[in-house]
Amino acid sequence: MCRNLVAVCGLLCGVLWAIAGLSEPTYAQLNASNLPEFEGSWAPTNNEDVSNDSVPVDYMGLPLNEEGRARALSYSESQLGMIERQCQGWAPTYLMTGPFGMKITAQYDLSRGSIIRFTIGAWHDKLPLDIWMDGRELPSRYAEHTRSGFAVGHWEGTTLVTRTTHMKASFIRKNGPPSSDRATMANHFYRHGNFLTLIAVIDDPVYLSEPLIWTRDFQVSPTRLTPIAPPCIVAFEGPTAQDEVPHYLWGKKPEEFMNEMTSKYGVPREAALGFPETLYPEYREKLKVRNNRSQ
Amino acid sequence: MEFPALRLAAVVVVLCVGVLNAAPWGPAQELASSTSTSELEILRIRPNFYMIAGAGANIAVQVGVDGVVLVDTGPRNRVDDVMAAVRKITAAPIRFIVNTSADADHVGGNDTFLQAGQASFDTIANLFPRNYFLSGAVAILAHEAVLRRMTAPTGQVSPFPAAAWPTETFEAGRRYVYLNDEGIEVVHHPAAHTDGDATVFFRRSDVIVAGDLFDMTRFPTIDLVRGGSLKGTLQALNRLIATAIPSLPDVSREVGTSVIPGHGQVGDQFDLLDYRDMIVIVRDHVQDLIDKGMTLEQIKAANPTHGFRRRYGSDTGEWTTEMFVEAVYRNLVEGEK
């Protein structure tokens, strides 16, 4: 009788354990010793793909389509002086181009031994990015698109793979190349010792002719980064009529803006305008051939 | 002895599995942030505030002790699905309906919801107007122009059945009620999408229902035939932008006023800004081409919506990009009427 009772209890526990296990197969396991640690403060190395936004017309390396280029060329940075836009912040793609480091924290479900989410902290003009690891579904396509977007993540080996959707329309570079609210961003987080490599694949059916791929490196920061942004106070209240928006009509972008990449760095205008072929090494050969002919 | 014990164990296991499967993840009967009904989606915007999407025009549903407040009722051919979606949210009686315009996809369910609401109250409440509204227990509120658009002069065929007509109308710029513990402002925007547009601001919920003044799926439908105008559309959007408040000074929390558009995803003040700025930029391009002496056909061919067409444009359907360009052109050339 006692033996039967033990068998029954064992069977019951086994089935319950199996049910519990099956109900959360996608949860990141807290105690998985082979997974790298991402939490902490990461300083940018800023040795590649960092913000090319100091020149008004520098869209090099961006596979803009015609619509994207038209939007970029009509953009005026005076838009940031509009009262409603002074505190708007940038899209999550700014993670790849901004000057900041990353403060990564994690929230745990201690009862299940799992990570609920990672959070990449805010910067003064970048909102925090939550990466949900608990297998939750995407929001409805009718749900509000936010400045941070909605990101889910999972492990592929020791790589953290994330996908961000539901982002607001914004810009992929601060000098005007746009991103739409249909854009998505896939990220891969690799840790190599004290370095963290972040790869982003940004897909935007509205403004890009092909996916944009960026990489960026961070290293463990000896100093503690803060995960919170300072308050933003609207300051400038200059006269802006409500039915006027700073922008440039076609062909009206100032020539000194259009020529700056050429005059300062010798970059041909077509390369500065962000055509897809300028992404590839073969384009250098094309430029060499053209330059040789012109000489 | 062993066989019955194992059978008992199997029964216990089956019961346990059944109990586990039946256990809800959240509070009983509580809707998730998004659920679907017959291809319609129900989005929870606030604890007592929902949006029903997928029927055509978006429908807002506010629920409380006074019953259900609806903003718009969807197209006629989806009324059963919309009613099912409302009933999935709550069994409370339909109490108050606001129409944001006379568009068929916004008023198609008016009569069905009106009758459903009236049926929820006793006969006396429906017979004696002083108890509730002029129509009895339930009202449909819209601007006077909406009533004019939904009716026809004597002897002509009305575009909508009498049972679907607004029961309460207003001519002034603003009408308000206080239902379900919050002030609800219904604001008229003259000569915008049409001449009868109203937006509805739920003050405690901090939700604006914008109707087709704000359409996340296409360029704004400026219906010149029904009294719409470019200038009025911009003025209306500016007013909504001034009403909506984003998360300031704490920009790290994405909270603030929610804006339900006539179609498409929920937005906020930034989305209103983007939409208004898009219209202004297209307007400026059209004006520039007019100043260069181009005709309407030449301007259409020059594509003044370049930069926004892939996002908002359409070459087919009831509101094409060319129709939008023509509306902008006619307003700029012929002036506001």
Side-chain angles (χ1 to χ4, degrees):
Chain A
M1 182 65 188
C2 182
R3 210 171 48 202
N4 284 337
L5 192 60
V6 169
V8 168
C9 290
L11 181 62
L12 184 58
C13 290
V15 171
L16 289 174
W17 174 79
I19 292 169
L22 287 172
S23 69
E24 49 177 308
T26 57
Y27 267 44
Q29 297 304 307
L30 177 63
N31 296 320
S33 57
N34 60 331
L35 294 178
E37 176 64 274
F38 286 129
E39 287 183 79
S41 296
W42 297 90
T45 58
N46 283 349
N47 54 7
E48 58 172 335
D49 286 343
V50 290
S51 14
N52 308 62
D53 55 16
S54 57
V55 176
V57 182
D58 175 9
Y59 316 143
M60 270 201 312
L62 301 179
L64 296 174
N65 61 23
E66 290 300 326
E67 289 254 308
R69 192 159 21 261
R71 279 286 312 276
L73 287 171
S74 76
Y75 179 71
S76 165
E77 295 195 38
S78 295
Q79 287 180 16
L80 297 176
M82 297 164 70
I83 289 174
E84 301 89 352
R85 294 206 181 275
Q86 291 174 37
C87 292
Q88 70 178 9
W90 302 95
T93 54
Y94 189 35
L95 187 65
M96 304 300 296
T97 57
F100 41 76
M102 293 191 296
K103 174 72 171 186
I104 301 179
T105 56
Q107 180 188 356
Y108 300 94
D109 181 342
L110 296 176
S111 65
R112 296 185 178 192
S114 58
I115 295 174
I116 298 172
R117 65 175 163 180
F118 286 109
T119 299
I120 300 175
W123 177 255
H124 76 278
D125 55 358
K126 182 189 81 67
L127 276 68
L129 175 65
D130 286 325
I131 300 166
W132 297 99
M133 302 292 290
D134 56 1
R136 67 182 57 196
E137 293 181 357
L138 288 179
S140 161
R141 65 193 172 108
Y142 297 105
E144 183 175 345
H145 288 42
T146 61
R147 198 62 73 192
S148 295
F150 179 86
V152 293
H154 67 275
W155 296 102
E156 289 183 5
T158 56
T159 303
L160 174 62
V161 179
T162 71
R163 178 175 159 79
T164 307
T165 61
H166 292 75
M167 296 183 278
K168 272 198 190 308
S170 184
F171 298 90
I172 48 177
R173 199 173 275 175
K174 279 184 165 182
N175 52 357
S179 61
S180 79
D181 56 359
R182 308 275 168 83
T184 59
M185 179 171 69
N187 283 112
H188 284 63
F189 293 73
Y190 300 94
R191 179 164 185 167
H192 320 274
N194 285 336
F195 287 89
L196 180 65
T197 298
L198 188 48
I199 298 176
V201 181
I202 299 159
D203 206 351
D204 188 344
V206 177
Y207 291 125
L208 297 181
S209 58
E210 59 185 79
L212 166 63
I213 302 173
W214 272 331
T215 61
R216 193 174 184 203
D217 288 326
F218 298 83
Q219 60 185 336
V220 171
S221 171
T223 55
R224 182 187 175 91
L225 300 178
T226 174
I228 55 173
C232 182
I233 309 294
V234 173
F236 173 69
E237 294 183 278
T240 49
Q242 287 187 320
D243 59 351
E244 288 183 10
V245 176
H247 71 101
Y248 295 104
L249 294 169
W250 299 328
K252 301 286 177 63
K253 196 93 166 182
E255 273 301 303
E256 64 261 37
F257 292 176
M258 298 296 292
N259 284 333
E260 192 167 335
M261 286 299 287
T262 306
S263 60
K264 275 189 177 174
Y265 306 110
V267 174
R269 180 177 290 192
E270 68 177 64
L273 289 176
F275 289 93
E277 66 173 338
T278 65
L279 268 69
Y280 298 98
E282 295 79 8
Y283 184 70
R284 291 181 183 174
E285 299 305 316
K286 184 179 174 181
L287 283 180
K288 282 179 189 171
V289 170
R290 202 176 63 176
N291 288 341
N292 289 338
R293 279 184 190 152
S294 62
Q295 288 168 3
Chain B
M1 285 296 285
E2 289 185 11
F3 184 68
L6 284 174
R7 197 164 57 183
L8 175 66
V11 169
V12 170
V13 167
V14 168
L15 285 173
C16 286
V17 170
V19 168
L20 282 173
N21 286 338
W25 286 104
Q29 305 301 318
E30 187 165 296
L31 278 172
S33 60
S34 172
T35 57
S36 63
T37 277
S38 301
E39 299 174 5
L40 302 189
E41 292 196 41
I42 305 169
L43 282 85
R44 194 174 198 175
I45 310 293
R46 299 284 188 269
N48 70 327
F49 206 104
Y50 303 83
M51 180 178 98
I52 298 172
N58 289 329
I59 298 154
V61 184
Q62 181 234 34
V63 184
V65 292
D66 296 322
V68 177
V69 175
L70 286 176
V71 182
D72 290 332
T73 55
R76 183 156 197 79
N77 64 346
R78 300 302 302 271
V79 67
D80 291 340
D81 294 332
V82 175
M83 179 65 83
V86 172
R87 287 297 162 236
K88 193 165 185 175
I89 295 169
T90 179
I94 308 298
R95 187 63 197 286
F96 196 68
I97 300 166
V98 185
N99 287 149
T100 58
S101 73
D103 290 3
D105 57 342
H106 290 255
V107 301
N110 274 9
D111 48 344
T112 303
F113 280 99
L114 183 74
Q115 288 157 12
Q118 288 172 335
S120 302
F121 290 87
D122 60 64
T123 309
I124 294 174
N126 283 314
L127 284 178
F128 290 86
R130 62 187 170 80
N131 283 333
Y132 294 104
F133 305 106
L134 294 178
S135 55
V138 192
I140 302 175
L141 176 67
H143 188 263
E144 179 72 17
V146 172
L147 182 61
R148 287 199 295 272
R149 301 282 172 201
M150 293 180 68
T151 57
T154 305
Q156 295 181 25
V157 179
S158 168
F160 294 92
W165 296 348
T167 61
E168 318 280 331
T169 61
F170 66 105
E171 283 275 19
R174 174 172 173 260
R175 178 66 70 89
Y176 48 81
V177 293
Y178 198 95
L179 289 168
N180 295 328
D181 296 325
E182 68 176 318
I184 302 170
E185 288 186 85
V186 183
V187 178
H188 178 231
H189 302 273
H193 156 57
T194 65
D195 56 3
D197 302 303
T199 55
V200 189
F201 179 32
F202 293 80
R203 291 166 57 144
R204 189 187 296 271
S205 297
D206 201 11
V207 176
I208 298 170
V209 186
D212 278 0
L213 289 171
F214 176 46
D215 188 333
M216 291 293 280
T217 65
R218 58 187 175 184
F219 290 117
T221 48
I222 302 170
D223 191 338
L224 302 182
V225 175
R226 293 192 299 161
S229 75
L230 172 65
K231 186 177 179 182
T233 297
L234 288 171
Q235 285 176 340
L237 287 167
N238 283 331
R239 189 163 179 181
L240 296 183
I241 289 166
T243 304
I245 296 176
S247 182
L248 286 173
D250 189 347
V251 293
S252 292
R253 296 177 301 147
E254 294 199 69
V255 294
T257 310
S258 293
V259 185
I260 294 179
H263 301 259
Q265 74 224 29
V266 179
D268 63 7
Q269 192 204 45
F270 292 118
D271 297 299
L272 286 169
L273 274 172
D274 286 346
Y275 200 66
R276 180 203 61 186
D277 290 0
M278 174 268 290
I279 298 170
V280 169
I281 291 169
V282 172
R283 179 202 65 185
D284 291 353
H285 281 303
V286 173
Q287 184 65 61
D288 182 54
L289 297 173
I290 291 170
D291 293 343
K292 288 175 177 168
M294 288 190 179
T295 64
L296 173 59
E297 290 310 312
Q298 288 172 324
I299 289 172
K300 283 180 179 176
N303 188 17
T305 59
H306 196 38
F308 301 102
R309 193 167 188 144
R310 283 173 78 101
R311 174 60 183 83
Y312 295 107
S314 173
D315 295 327
T316 58
E318 62 180 22
W319 187 248
T320 64
T321 303
E322 289 204 346
M323 293 164 75
F324 169 60
V325 171
E326 183 167 345
V328 173
Y329 172 87
R330 295 207 179 285
N331 257 206
L332 291 173
V333 169
E334 299 167 9
E336 309 291 338
K337 291 181 178 173

